[in-house]
Amino acid sequence: IDFDLILEHIRDLNSLVGEGSSRVEQTVRGARLRRAEPLAVTLYRDGITVGQHGAFRPYQHPATQQCLQDIMDGYFPSELQPRYPDGV
């Protein structure tokens, strides 16, 4: 596993969505700026977790391999689409 390359691709994806930027959120009294909550991807020697409370998944697991392949291909992991239909 080339961790540096994975991290480089994650940084590229973050820059596409404007990491650290804010968006306007409507409130009862008007509007305010709100930062998007980051989604943690934690890389370990033998697997990953996705999300703050995500289960540990070994690299040999097919879903883990698909997640990393999506990232390496320059896409957000397809497994996130049902939870984040407007993007993450």
Side-chain angles (χ1 to χ4, degrees):
I1 302 291
D2 187 342
F3 294 109
D4 291 331
L5 188 58
I6 293 169
L7 292 173
E8 180 182 329
H9 283 265
I10 290 173
R11 280 191 291 273
D12 291 344
L13 289 169
N14 285 340
S15 68
L16 285 174
V17 295
E19 179 180 31
S21 63
S22 300
R23 62 186 173 110
V24 176
E25 179 182 85
Q26 299 294 327
T27 65
V28 176
R29 302 176 77 187
R32 68 177 175 181
L33 287 176
R34 179 177 209 89
R35 275 187 194 237
E37 293 294 322
L39 179 68
V41 175
T42 307
L43 303 172
Y44 297 96
R45 181 175 10 146
D46 54 350
I48 68 170
T49 60
V50 178
Q52 187 177 19
H53 302 290
F56 177 82
R57 302 184 322 205
Y59 289 121
Q60 297 82 3
H61 192 275
T64 305
Q65 291 179 3
Q66 181 61 52
C67 176
L68 292 176
Q69 188 61 53
D70 288 344
I71 291 170
M72 297 304 290
D73 289 343
Y75 299 106
F76 292 98
S78 55
E79 71 185 60
L80 300 176
Q81 193 170 20
R83 287 190 291 175
Y84 301 97
D86 296 327
V88 62

